[in-house]
């Protein structure tokens, strides 16, 4: 039977204990707010303002109408209208923009021939590519109807006056859209798997270090270890090496199962994919060291790590492209190391890039790693 007075004192005791751990208290209060914001704004919002370039190799009323229609479509953010086809393709190849819409030199010719427009598309970003493909097909289908039947384009701000309509009456055939997916047809599972590999490494490394450091501190095992004449660097270094070895085995299993179960192709090669995962594992082991440096229990560590790990999962482009999020979350994404790990993994697995092509992502990951280890070692609490 419950004793009411003692029952009340047990509740009070737990609240007082929580008050003595301010980091845990802040996490408990802040975490629900963070999660509702991430679910509300970070999960599959509308994709607008996707960066593209337009290559215009012709001049005339139809070209002007097409450019106006593209510029007033919310899906696109037209970075530049240019005349160099090679420069436009290079921007797509390097990831600076998502696509290039190429209007050929005969686009405004008065002829009966079908006018061929090309969408040069970065298909590695599966969801963005799907939206761009659908929007572009819709635009040129409507423009094709204008050319063929002299009707108006049903867009929000694309109105055609009589003089332009009279000029368009010379066009006898429609417009065809050719789509050049530079990385082939990418399925959602292909887009998802590289980031899932990175996310799994992140979670296992961070949670593993919490169990290793905070857990051993809680049980007293760490105290017994420090009774020996052993430096902090030696203890942490040994734990890092052991954890990294475990994560290397886990990375091998992850890659093997992804290929076996989902038929995921690794265009950039197995070895390069493995190296990127190793660098990512080292980075997040360092993150775990930093967070666990002064936590006294595994519960404290879990509460402190969640406000970091969960936002990274939703904001770093694991499930949805970063472009679907509000601009402030897009900027926040580049504060998290998982964003750079995802970018490098997709670059190698989907685009067939080399380590040299993703060097910037790797440098940023190594920079985070160095920072985490320095902070972790300096803040490490040996007084257990």
């Amino acid at each position: 039977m419950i004793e009411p007075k003692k029952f009340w004192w047990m509740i009070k005791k737990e609240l007082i204990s929580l008050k003595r751990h301010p980091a845990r208290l802040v996490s408990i209060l802040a975490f629900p707010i963070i999660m509702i914001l991430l679910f509300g704004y970070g999960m599959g919002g509308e994709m607008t303002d996707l960066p593209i370039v337009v290559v215009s190799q012709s001049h005339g009323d139809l070209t002007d109408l097409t450019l106006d229609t593209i510029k007033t479509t919310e899906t696109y953010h037209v970075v530049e209208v240019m005349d160099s086809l090679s420069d436009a393709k290079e921007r797509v190849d390097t990831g600076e923009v998502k696509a290039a819409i190429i209007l050929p030199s005969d686009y405004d010719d008065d002829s009966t021939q079908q006018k061929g427009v090309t969408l040069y598309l970065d298909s590695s970003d599966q969801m963005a590519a799907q939206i761009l493909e659908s929007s572009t097909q819709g635009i040129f289908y409507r423009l094709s109807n204008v050319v063929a039947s002299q009707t108006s384009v049903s867009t929000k701000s694309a109105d055609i006056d009589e003089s332009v309509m009279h000029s368009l009456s010379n066009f006898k055939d429609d417009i065809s859209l050719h789509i050049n997916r530079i990385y082939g047809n990418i399925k959602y599972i292909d887009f998802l798997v590289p980031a899932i590999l990175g996310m799994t490494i992140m979670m296992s490394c961070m949670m593993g270090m919490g169990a290793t450091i905070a857990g051993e501190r809680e049980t007293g095992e760490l105290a017994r270890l420090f009774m020996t004449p052993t430096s902090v660097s030696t203890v942490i270094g040994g734990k890092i090496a052991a954890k990294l070895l475990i994560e290397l085995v886990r990375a091998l299993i992850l890659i093997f199962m992804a290929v076996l179960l989902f038929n995921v192709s690794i265009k950039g090669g197995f070895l390069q994919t493995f190296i990127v995962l190793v660098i990512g594992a080292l980075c997040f082991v360092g993150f775990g060291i930093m967070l666990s440096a002064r936590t006294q229990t595994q519960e404290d560590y879990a509460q402190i790590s969640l406000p970091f790990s969960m936002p990274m999962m939703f904001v770093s482009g694991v499930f949805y492209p970063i472009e679907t999020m509000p601009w402030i979350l897009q900027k926040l994404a580049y504060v998290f190391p998982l964003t750079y790990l995802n970018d490098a993994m997709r670059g190698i697995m989907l685009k067939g890039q080399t380590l040299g092509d993703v060097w910037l992502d790797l440098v940023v990951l190594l920079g985070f790693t160095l920072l985490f280890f320095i902070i972790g070692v300096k803040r490490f609490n040996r007084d257990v």
Side-chain angles (χ1 to χ4, degrees):
M1 182 177 178
I2 295 178
E3 303 174 63
K5 188 174 181 179
K6 293 180 179 179
F7 180 75
W8 165 249
W9 278 109
M10 286 301 301
I11 295 175
K12 189 175 180 180
K13 176 256 182 190
E14 292 299 324
L15 294 177
I16 291 173
S17 175
L18 186 62
K19 184 179 178 181
R20 291 173 179 172
H21 296 82
R24 189 194 304 179
L25 179 60
V26 170
S27 176
I28 290 172
L29 296 176
F31 186 67
I33 300 173
I34 294 172
M35 290 306 299
I36 196 63
L37 289 173
L38 292 175
F39 273 110
Y41 293 113
M43 293 294 287
E46 293 184 4
M47 298 190 74
T48 59
D49 294 325
L50 295 170
I52 68 165
V53 293
V54 179
V55 179
S56 179
Q57 300 175 328
S58 63
H59 301 281
D61 292 324
L62 181 59
T63 299
D64 293 340
L65 172 62
T66 302
L67 291 176
D68 288 342
T69 305
I70 292 172
K71 289 178 180 178
T72 55
T73 301
E74 291 183 353
T75 304
Y76 309 117
H77 167 58
V78 180
V79 175
E80 185 177 352
V81 177
M82 55 201 312
D83 54 14
S84 173
L85 179 59
S86 59
D87 288 349
K89 288 185 174 181
E90 183 180 358
R91 289 195 180 192
V92 180
D93 293 340
T94 58
E96 184 179 344
V97 296
K98 296 290 185 183
I101 298 176
I102 303 167
L103 307 179
S105 56
D106 62 350
Y107 189 67
D108 256 281
D109 289 352
D110 297 349
S111 67
T112 59
Q113 293 182 347
Q114 194 176 57
K115 305 174 193 312
V117 175
T118 300
L119 176 65
Y120 189 76
L121 184 63
D122 177 359
S123 57
S124 66
D125 192 338
Q126 189 266 347
M127 296 188 70
Q130 191 175 45
I131 294 296
L132 285 169
E133 184 175 330
S134 176
S135 295
T136 308
Q137 285 175 334
I139 283 175
F140 284 100
Y141 175 77
R142 293 192 296 271
L143 286 170
S144 180
N145 288 337
V146 170
V147 174
S149 60
Q150 302 180 24
T151 58
S152 62
V153 181
S154 57
T155 57
K156 295 180 180 178
S157 56
D159 297 322
I160 308 170
D161 59 33
E162 291 183 3
S163 62
V164 175
M165 184 61 66
H166 177 72
S167 176
L168 290 176
S169 66
N170 293 322
F171 296 103
K172 304 300 183 185
D173 211 334
D174 60 352
I175 304 168
S176 65
L177 177 65
H178 305 287
I179 301 173
N180 184 357
R181 303 174 184 87
I182 62 176
Y183 301 113
N185 289 317
I186 302 294
K187 303 185 296 292
Y188 181 60
I189 188 66
D190 296 320
F191 170 79
L192 190 61
V193 164
I196 290 294
L197 293 175
M199 184 189 72
T200 304
I201 289 294
M202 176 201 75
M203 295 298 293
S204 61
C205 288
M206 290 180 63
M207 295 301 104
M209 290 315 298
T212 300
I213 303 297
E216 290 183 4
R217 182 180 280 123
E218 184 178 6
T219 60
E221 186 176 340
L222 201 61
R224 291 191 295 271
L225 182 61
F226 282 141
M227 289 178 183
T228 64
T230 308
S231 66
V232 171
S233 299
T234 302
V235 172
I236 295 179
K239 291 185 178 297
I240 290 170
K243 186 62 181 174
L244 192 58
L245 181 62
I246 294 171
E247 293 308 323
L248 295 185
V249 175
R250 193 193 302 267
L252 288 171
I253 296 173
L254 285 171
I255 296 172
F256 176 75
M257 295 305 294
V259 174
L260 180 66
L261 297 179
F262 302 109
N263 197 28
V264 173
S265 61
I266 304 177
K267 295 181 180 179
F270 177 86
L271 180 60
Q272 295 190 102
T273 303
F274 182 70
I275 290 173
V276 172
L277 279 178
V278 170
I279 294 174
L282 191 61
C283 178
F284 288 110
V285 166
F287 202 171
I289 289 286
M290 181 183 69
L291 292 181
S292 63
R294 290 190 175 274
T295 52
Q296 300 298 318
T297 66
Q298 288 193 67
E299 186 179 356
D300 284 347
Y301 181 82
Q303 293 295 337
I304 292 172
S305 63
L306 278 176
F308 292 98
S309 60
M310 296 301 288
M312 272 196 278
M313 287 174 55
F314 292 110
V315 176
S316 298
V318 175
F319 303 103
Y320 293 91
I322 293 174
E323 289 81 8
T324 64
M325 305 172 194
W327 70 269
I328 190 167
L329 293 184
Q330 293 183 34
K331 302 301 181 184
L332 181 63
Y334 293 99
V335 177
F336 293 133
L338 185 58
T339 300
Y340 301 95
L341 179 57
N342 289 343
D343 189 59
M345 288 290 292
R346 286 184 174 130
I348 289 176
M349 292 182 67
L350 299 182
K351 300 180 181 180
Q353 294 179 333
T354 65
L355 295 177
D357 294 321
V358 297
W359 68 269
L360 182 58
D361 292 316
L362 300 182
V363 168
V364 173
L365 283 172
L366 291 172
F368 273 120
T369 303
L370 182 63
L371 176 66
F372 295 153
F373 280 132
I374 290 174
I375 295 175
V377 171
K378 287 187 174 296
R379 295 184 68 251
F380 193 85
N381 183 12
R382 180 168 175 153
D383 297 328
V384 291

